[in-house]
Amino acid sequence: MSEFILPQFQHLKREYDAAVRCNRCGFCETVCPTYTATGKETLSPRGRNQAFRNILEGKLGDAAAARDIFSTCLTCHACTNVCFAQVPVVRIMGAARKISQTPLQNALARAAFRALLFNRRALSVVLWLAFLLKRTLIPRVLRLAGVLKLISRPLAAAEDLVEEAPLSFGACPPKNSNVKGNADVALFSGCGVHYLFPGASQAIVDNLDARNTAIRCPRHSCCGLIPQSAGDVKTARELAEKNIRDFGSLRVKTVLASDDSCAGFMKSYPALLPDNPDAGSFAAKVKNLSEFLVALPPVAPRPGASAPPVKVTYHDPCQMGNGHKSFSSPRQILKNLPGVQYVELEEANECCGGAGTYSLKHPELADEVLEKKLQNIEKSGAEVVVTQAASCLLHIAYGSRKKKWSGKIRVVHLAEFLSERGST
Ligand code: SF4
Ligand code: SF4
């Protein structure tokens, strides 16, 4: 098929061949959150595949004209899940975003990723300063006065999205641990949970400690999902190669990811790095918290822990739910907790609109996608929504503030919920 592709796009033959597999049946449209929210064909999987083909074949002269078509994709994998041809829309969107952005935009994004994501010390400093500034309330005042939006729309959206700004990050190794022995488990402390939900990080290491499971806490890089989503596939691949090398040298049996977005992306390393012979064995070691815990014997509740009756539901983060069809382990764990009445959430695997930094770039569309999730949560009657990704935690909590659910319905990471119920 490469004879149809313009010479400057020949390097995208693999993605083009994948897009050509789309037979335009439209079967995916009803599960695509951006299509159901807007009703626009261009914002459907079929429309996006077609726009990508048109650019590569020279039928759409200006690739920049399609920038919104590609950047509004939530990369939620829902379309591929129902597609008979298994068209990998998320992978195609990675390539599409790069060619629809200007060279300057791509260069600036790559420079930022390289400065912050390989060695997270720099990212820690930048976020610590940003969170300190947020605590002064100056950004909030500027946002409420409408000034922050004039300076930067993503910054204004970020100020609204993030309520808590922690000044200490992560929590590993466990404090006061008596656990001895060689660790078979290494923690991959995903950026979102590490920087924004340190309580969840702490709860994960406490949980393993309570099970007499030693855990290693290596310094590591970003999983690569952030640059991949921005179209910088080269940087995503380099980060993946580095993680495979770094964790490979530890010789552990499990790479335990604190965030489902990282877990799902690292499980996809074999597709990202088809020529790397170690990608498959690395991906096979990656687990999210529920996959890891469900294989272990349950622990007795902490002495004195109270477990009052509570109605609980679960929201599936896209990268693990749609991306890897990993649905059963969190439900199995929640249903077995004393005092928990588990209720299923309608369309639990549909994206909440958080999608990494999506809600900062497209706040209005993200709000529309979120509204459906919030309605389903209300309908479920649950008092607690449990999930395992920082992006979903942030976005659903933001929605619950807008709905003024305070004290009625809350969203929490699985690790913290287990800790609250005395199951660590
Ligand atoms: S992406 Fe798949 S399901 Fe959607 S229109 Fe194309 S072939 Fe059909
Ligand atoms: S990945 Fe999600 S948002 Fe993107 S086209 Fe597919 S279903 Fe729609």
Side-chain angles (χ1 to χ4, degrees), residues 240-249 269 273 276 278-279 282:
E241 301 267 13
K242 184 171 183 306
N243 284 322
I244 291 170
R245 276 195 311 275
D246 290 351
F247 280 86
S249 67
Y269 277 0
L273 301 169
N276 185 318
D278 299 323
F282 173 84

Side-chain angles (χ1 to χ4, degrees), residues 359-409:
S359 63
L360 310 184
K361 294 180 202 147
H362 303 288
E364 290 86 11
L365 191 47
D367 278 358
E368 282 183 56
V369 174
L370 175 64
E371 179 58 29
K372 190 172 172 196
K373 179 64 62 182
L374 297 175
Q375 285 175 10
N376 280 331
I377 290 171
E378 269 188 315
K379 226 189 288 173
S380 75
E383 298 151 86
V384 180
V385 183
V386 177
T387 190
Q388 298 186 74
S391 171
C392 312
L393 285 165
L394 272 181
H395 206 225
I396 297 174
Y398 153 87
S400 77
R401 292 198 299 279
K402 300 284 164 199
K403 292 267 184 196
K404 303 199 189 317
W405 282 351
S406 168
K408 205 173 79 173
I409 308 173

Side-chain angles (χ1 to χ4, degrees), residues 92-108:
I92 294 167
M93 288 304 104
R97 284 174 178 179
K98 181 157 186 210
I99 58 173
S100 66
Q101 288 157 187
T102 65
L104 180 63
Q105 283 173 323
N106 285 327
L108 289 175

